[in-house]
């Protein structure tokens, strides 16, 4: 059974930065959001780069 955790919109919005007119999040913030290690997140991005573009 999946456990659902609610995260406030404001908390996520504080982690989104605007850099050269692009909205970005830092890798360690995304990893924390998905409750995985940063290393595991980066491996997933390499394996599924189309999903993350």
């Amino acid at each position: 059974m999946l456990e659902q955790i609610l995260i406030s919109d404001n908390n996520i919005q504080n982690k989104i930065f605007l850099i050269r007119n692009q909205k970005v999040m830092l890798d360690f913030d995304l990893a924390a959001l998905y409750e995985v290690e940063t290393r595991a997140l980066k491996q997933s991005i390499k394996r599924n780069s189309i999903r993350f573009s």
Side-chain angles (χ1 to χ4, degrees):
M1 183 172 183
L2 293 175
E3 182 179 328
Q4 188 173 7
I5 300 173
L6 297 177
I7 301 172
S8 71
D9 291 342
N10 197 24
N11 190 16
I12 295 173
Q13 287 176 348
N14 289 336
K15 297 180 186 294
I16 299 173
F17 301 98
L18 188 64
I19 300 176
R20 295 183 183 173
N21 293 323
Q22 293 281 351
K23 291 181 181 180
V24 297
M25 283 185 74
L26 300 176
D27 57 355
F28 58 86
D29 286 332
L30 278 171
L33 180 67
Y34 287 106
E35 298 179 342
V36 297
E37 293 182 13
T38 305
R39 176 177 47 92
L41 177 72
K42 287 183 176 186
Q43 287 175 346
S44 295
I45 292 170
K46 284 181 184 178
R47 291 183 186 139
N48 303 297
S49 61
I50 293 172
R51 291 184 181 181
F52 292 94
S53 58

